[in-house]
Amino acid sequence: MYRTNNCGELKISDVGKTVTLAGWVQKIRNKGFLIWIDLRDRYGITQLIINSEKSSKKVIDSVKDIGREFVIQVEGEVIKREAINKNIPTGEIEILVTEINILNSSKVPPFTIENETDGGEELRMKYRYLDLRRPALKDNIIFRNELTFQVRKYLKEEGFIDIETPYLIKSTPEGARDFVVPSRINPGEFYALPQSPQTFKQLLMVSGFDKYVQIVKCFRDEDLRADRQPEFTQIDCEMSFVNQEDILNTFEGLVKNLFKVCIGASLEKFDRISYADAMELYGSDKPDTRFGMKFLNLSEKAKGSGFKIFDSSESIYAFTIENGESFSRKDIDYYTDWVKRPQIGALGLIWIKHNQDGSVKSSVDKFFNEKQLKSMTGSKAGDLTFIISGDKKKTLTQLGSLRIHVGEKLGLRDKNKFNALWVTDFPMFEWDEEAKRYHAMHHPFTSPVKNTIGEDPGSTLANAYDLVINGNEIGGGSIRIHDQKLQEEVFSILGFSKKEAFDQFGFLLEAFTYGAPPHGGIAFGLDRLAAVMKGEESIRDYIAFPKNNSGRDVMIDSPSIIDKDQLDDLNIKIK
Amino acid sequence: MYRTNNCGELKISDVGKTVTLAGWVQKIRNKGFLIWIDLRDRYGITQLIINSEKSSKKVIDSVKDIGREFVIQVEGEVIKREAINKNIPTGEIEILVTEINILNSSKVPPFTIENETDGGEELRMKYRYLDLRRPALKDNIIFRNELTFQVRKYLKEEGFIDIETPYLIKSTPEGARDFVVPSRINPGEFYALPQSPQTFKQLLMVSGFDKYVQIVKCFRDEDLRADRQPEFTQIDCEMSFVNQEDILNTFEGLVKNLFKVCIGASLEKFDRISYADAMELYGSDKPDTRFGMKFLNLSEKAKGSGFKIFDSSESIYAFTIENGESFSRKDIDYYTDWVKRPQIGALGLIWIKHNQDGSVKSSVDKFFNEKQLKSMTGSKAGDLTFIISGDKKKTLTQLGSLRIHVGEKLGLRDKNKFNALWVTDFPMFEWDEEAKRYHAMHHPFTSPVKNTIGEDPGSTLANAYDLVINGNEIGGGSIRIHDQKLQEEVFSILGFSKKEAFDQFGFLLEAFTYGAPPHGGIAFGLDRLAAVMKGEESIRDYIAFPKNNSGRDVMIDSPSIIDKDQLDDLNIKIK
């Protein structure tokens, strides 16, 4: 037993007790005759005091060797503090040290172990084990632990069974790139790491497990973007004998419970919006609905004035900022430049300002009179309207990005406000102009809304749904196909020959002929959910050991070169 | 909503209710005017009745199309059964069907969906999703789910934090073979899949997380033996500021709780035995202590009689079977042949039978008189003693295998009895005569008992411990090294140059210089624990989708060949 208590629990009622504590030295203040040490562990900080009158010479001498981040064990008496610190739970007491024992020394850490640290990103990634000592990061990891436990608890109470599916599975060319694993015992053959346990959870439904959950790592060998990880964690769920309504209700219940139990937030009934409306009103399939600024479709109204840009555009969309009158010319120029950056790619930004005095000012007032401008936007005094025109899909996306950016700048994306929303009725297929083929928008196992694909696959809607919170896609799922014929038809539309479909997914197609129940499910991004609940955007701060943007773990220096013997054993060669 | 109730919950108090059920057709009995269907789902079986007088023609007609394992939905009224079935919870009622809806058809399954099935192992592996419908297998998976939940709940209450560690890590040559994953973004470099999260959990202790748990997949590319899986699941735990006693107490608490809560078994205080004693008394480092038959060391006593085999042997060991007098000559010949099989490799088996009448019969009575035989074994009337001699290590192991086999045959390995035991004080190192080097018996991060390695590494004891239940190794762990110098010394004894040690484990060695606390941990084999708790030996029946003995998933047909494009992208070639 290295300790009788942890560093977060001693209180005024413990005064007089003899205790042993162990932990890290956060800070030392040496006043000669009095020395204070802040001793830290996972549970808190306790102040130690060494008093030249009351402590032994041995104790005083050993303190001289101690520096920041040393690991020490101390014995002493709990005493009442002179100067109470109301900011910490142990702030009324301190420990008068009688014994001190250095358990391990520490070099001076490469950055300060404090929330506001002096360490840069790269350095902190290399010394991740030290970065994780910072309270902010430590609390994130503990929060994630609480979140996963509550997920498991709630779903267990709802009758879900936690079942592990394999990690060494089979590579399939559909979807993102697989990570593969050469098999030594089966030379020339490879396993793949799962992008998700999709087919296995469907097989579990065929087996009759009825309600499945697994918190599971998934792997995608994608070109990494900021805040993407090659391995990430899903809360993966599937249910039998359900329709979309059952799934949305079940998981709305889960998410509301998580917000309530983990962060004390009460979410309102989740709104629902179709994919088409989400694009039309917010220019995004994951709209942030914490604020308004819904789009107006001006494609009809704004044409025919002789303004060529509008007249030649497929679409013209706008949104209005209440009290946007206060935007200066410089502000408007800023947003104009912002949308013209290559990442957004708009050709320009039209604005209409409806002043308090009723007058209207606009970048297109050569082509429209005040009355026309007012009637076009339906704005009221004080409003500012931004307009983008062009190709419909691009226009909507560009204006959607601008809406989020304006919302951000205006402080409308309140970290303490949560708006959850189901987006439904996604298209089944997306046409890939380059490859001249359809892709599955969700995945090839998604059922069409009407259980049948119409004449035009491109206009068929999928029985798929996403959960969006504050503009982040938190989860997505679908009702699955459980009929072999329909599944074959979908593979055929996706360009699989019958042979290819059976080579890759024969086990699933065959399973559908042995009494597959109607079923559907959903998967949540756990890393993202944790971050969003804490009002943050970066998932990396919610993963204990993340990889950097090149997929490297810079702490352990991986990936790395392996021995030639190992390659020989695996029957492979570097090209 | 496909159903109002499941197939396991309707009772006599529900009579009169109109309900909708959905599930699989287990059995149909058609008496012409009366048709019964057993409808099955995860929760149970409910009997449906179709009555030619009371059911519509439509219902009666649709029943004609229905076969075993069809998925159907029925509406009907709960009625009291004529003939009560006391074996099932729903046995007092049945459903008088008014509507029937075929949700999916089923081909005749390749084997019967019953505990006593007619399907062979290979066939059931290929159709694992059907095999999982059998109640025995289904119940195993549900049991495993309950077990994992209780592990998480107990350890959470004990203050453990569930933290995910990465799956894409770094290959190291120590220990078993790694599975590796080529990196596309870093050509020529590889990740490895973890054999365990060992170094990461130690780094979490350096970070100050204090108590860590993770239920985690681990991977070993070994030549597969029966009942080994290339991927398996560990309950992985680590604690800071603990000594061996703390760990043993904490996890004895866990295991006792699991047995209590999951199977209602009260385990007694776990015995403890040193590795040396376990070998000396049971010829095994994982002795089955449900029965006695402890070894006698006759190496002194049995020499000098002129019996060359004994006189020339390093060691002579024996165990005595109470009431073994009843063993016939044929029985004894059977055991003699059994130990002489190459898998055991003994040269022979000596026996001494102490008859009820006081007389003694033995295979070595030419060399020993009755008095000598009695005094050698200390046996009493009715006992039979088996003796093996030779090289000490081999003799102990051979006699240990025989002891288990005799115990099995005599029914002493009672499935409903559980004996748990800590085995401690393992050697730090094992000498590998072939490679002329030491191997770590546990792993290179294990601390020596006295925190220092003596003159002779081969005789240094490790601060390591295994948990053995009923002769199965359920878990193992150690107090770890937290001092850089000691860790370097161990690497050096294992034959690592300083450069090699730092190339591979530099991150850990460096972490030890920044305030690493004393720490230790343990990992349990979850698959094995589940099987042992249910009194079974095969872990495969506790894994939803296991691989066969060649590491293949025969259901999805993996591993498999991948596209040349994929190999090109990964910068590798098949040799």
Side-chain angles (χ1 to χ4, degrees), chain A residues 42 133 144 164 191 514 551, chain B residues 133 144 159 164 191 514 551:
Chain A
R42 169 182 138 197
R133 287 184 187 167
R144 181 188 173 116
E164 290 178 64
Y191 301 100
Y514 286 109
Chain B
R133 287 185 188 168
R144 181 189 173 114
E164 290 178 65
Y191 301 100
Y514 286 108

Side-chain angles (χ1 to χ4, degrees), chain B residues 67-287:
Chain B
R68 273 204 292 138
E69 300 306 316
F70 271 51
V71 184
I72 62 172
Q73 181 187 39
V74 297
E75 197 183 292
E77 191 193 335
V78 183
I79 60 173
K80 191 169 180 306
R81 261 205 223 185
E82 298 271 315
I84 287 172
N85 178 348
K86 288 194 172 154
N87 299 319
I88 58 172
T90 62
E92 291 188 80
I93 59 96
E94 60 193 357
I95 311 297
L96 180 64
V97 176
T98 53
E99 290 276 355
I100 200 159
N101 180 10
I102 298 177
L103 297 175
N104 214 341
S105 63
S106 175
K107 291 193 286 195
V108 175
F111 48 85
T112 53
I113 308 297
E114 279 159 13
N115 280 348
E116 299 302 321
T117 180
D118 55 359
E121 173 85 7
E122 191 71 9
L123 194 65
R124 287 188 289 115
M125 287 286 273
K126 180 165 158 56
Y127 295 96
R128 184 71 173 180
Y129 49 88
L130 297 180
D131 204 21
L132 286 168
R133 287 185 188 168
R134 292 191 305 116
L137 208 43
K138 181 197 77 172
D139 290 346
N140 288 351
I141 302 300
I142 293 177
F143 172 73
R144 181 189 173 114
N145 155 68
E146 183 63 29
L147 178 61
T148 54
F149 186 80
Q150 294 300 338
V151 170
R152 292 190 166 113
K153 181 163 176 278
Y154 183 90
L155 291 179
K156 183 167 197 290
E157 283 162 7
E158 292 287 315
F160 284 76
I161 304 177
D162 184 347
I163 305 179
E164 290 178 65
T165 53
Y167 279 91
L168 296 173
I169 66 165
K170 187 172 172 169
S171 190
T172 57
E174 186 64 18
R177 265 191 217 92
D178 287 323
F179 283 105
V180 298
V181 181
S183 167
R184 184 179 52 83
I185 298 178
N186 305 276
E189 298 190 336
F190 292 78
Y191 301 100
L193 299 179
Q195 295 185 29
S196 90
Q198 184 60 35
T199 51
F200 287 96
K201 67 175 173 174
Q202 292 192 241
L203 290 177
L204 288 172
M205 294 305 105
V206 176
S207 294
F209 282 101
D210 205 81
K211 293 178 183 172
Y212 145 91
V213 60
Q214 186 182 196
I215 297 186
V216 63
K217 274 279 172 76
C218 300
F219 304 85
R220 275 178 211 171
D221 185 12
E222 291 177 299
D223 296 314
L224 296 165
R225 285 179 275 161
D227 218 31
R228 278 283 179 100
Q229 290 282 321
E231 50 176 309
F232 55 96
T233 306
Q234 259 181 215
I235 306 167
D236 194 50
C237 306
E238 197 79 4
M239 302 172 79
S240 291
F241 302 116
V242 289
N243 52 35
Q244 179 176 303
E245 195 61 29
D246 300 322
I247 302 245
L248 300 197
N249 287 334
T250 300
F251 293 98
E252 188 161 326
L254 168 68
V255 172
K256 279 182 174 169
N257 176 269
L258 295 177
F259 274 78
K260 189 87 204 158
V261 174
C262 298
I263 60 169
S266 298
L267 297 192
E268 290 179 18
K269 172 118 189 90
F270 296 5
D271 279 331
R272 297 192 189 178
I273 191 172
S274 70
Y275 170 84
D277 284 351
M279 292 308 296
E280 183 75 14
L281 295 174
Y282 299 101
S284 170
D285 60 357
K286 45 181 183 178

Side-chain angles (χ1 to χ4, degrees), chain A residues 1-3 22 24 42-43 69 71 103-108 127 129 132-133 142 144-146 149 152 156 159 161-171 177 179-182 184-186 189-191 200 203-204 206-211 217 219 221-223 231 233 241-243 246 482 507 510-511 513-518 544-545 547 550-552 555-560 562 566-575, chain B residues 1-3 22 24 42-43 69 71 103-108 127 129 132-133 142 144-146 149 152 156 159 161-171 177 179-182 184-186 189-191 200 203-204 206-211 217 219 221-223 231 233 241-243 246 482 507 510-511 513-518 544-545 547 550-552 555-560 562 566-575:
Chain A
M1 287 279 261
Y2 276 88
R3 55 190 174 187
W24 286 262
R42 169 182 138 197
Y43 310 92
E69 301 306 316
V71 185
L103 298 174
N104 214 341
S105 62
S106 175
K107 292 192 287 195
V108 175
Y127 295 96
Y129 49 88
L132 285 167
R133 287 184 187 167
I142 293 176
R144 181 188 173 116
N145 154 68
E146 182 63 29
F149 186 80
R152 292 190 166 112
K156 183 165 197 293
I161 304 176
D162 184 347
I163 304 178
E164 290 178 64
T165 53
Y167 278 92
L168 296 173
I169 66 164
K170 187 173 170 168
S171 190
R177 264 191 219 92
F179 283 106
V180 298
V181 181
R184 184 178 54 83
I185 299 179
N186 306 275
E189 298 190 335
F190 292 78
Y191 301 100
F200 288 95
L203 291 176
L204 288 171
V206 176
S207 294
F209 281 101
D210 207 81
K211 292 177 184 173
K217 274 279 173 76
F219 304 85
D221 185 13
E222 292 176 299
D223 295 315
E231 51 176 307
T233 306
F241 302 116
V242 289
N243 52 35
D246 299 323
H482 62 279
F507 61 97
E510 199 174 3
T513 65
Y514 286 109
F545 299 102
K547 298 193 172 46
S550 332
R552 289 202 81 79
M555 178 185 72
I556 63 170
D557 191 24
S558 165
S560 62
I562 61 174
Q566 222 173 334
L567 292 173
D568 288 347
D569 275 355
L570 296 171
N571 229 54
I572 57 172
K573 262 165 76 167
I574 307 287
K575 273 185 67 172
Chain B
M1 286 281 259
Y2 277 87
R3 54 189 175 187
W24 286 262
R42 170 182 137 197
Y43 310 92
E69 300 306 316
V71 184
L103 297 175
N104 214 341
S105 63
S106 175
K107 291 193 286 195
V108 175
Y127 295 96
Y129 49 88
L132 286 168
R133 287 185 188 168
I142 293 177
R144 181 189 173 114
N145 155 68
E146 183 63 29
F149 186 80
R152 292 190 166 113
K156 183 167 197 290
I161 304 177
D162 184 347
I163 305 179
E164 290 178 65
T165 53
Y167 279 91
L168 296 173
I169 66 165
K170 187 172 172 169
S171 190
R177 265 191 217 92
F179 283 105
V180 298
V181 181
R184 184 179 52 83
I185 298 178
N186 305 276
E189 298 190 336
F190 292 78
Y191 301 100
F200 287 96
L203 290 177
L204 288 172
V206 176
S207 294
F209 282 101
D210 205 81
K211 293 178 183 172
K217 274 279 172 76
F219 304 85
D221 185 12
E222 291 177 299
D223 296 314
E231 50 176 309
T233 306
F241 302 116
V242 289
N243 52 35
D246 300 322
H482 62 279
F507 61 97
E510 198 174 4
T513 64
Y514 286 108
F545 299 102
K547 296 193 172 47
S550 331
R552 289 202 80 77
M555 179 185 72
I556 63 170
D557 191 26
S558 164
S560 62
I562 61 173
Q566 223 174 333
L567 292 172
D568 287 347
D569 275 356
L570 295 171
N571 229 54
I572 58 172
K573 262 165 75 166
I574 308 287
K575 273 185 67 173

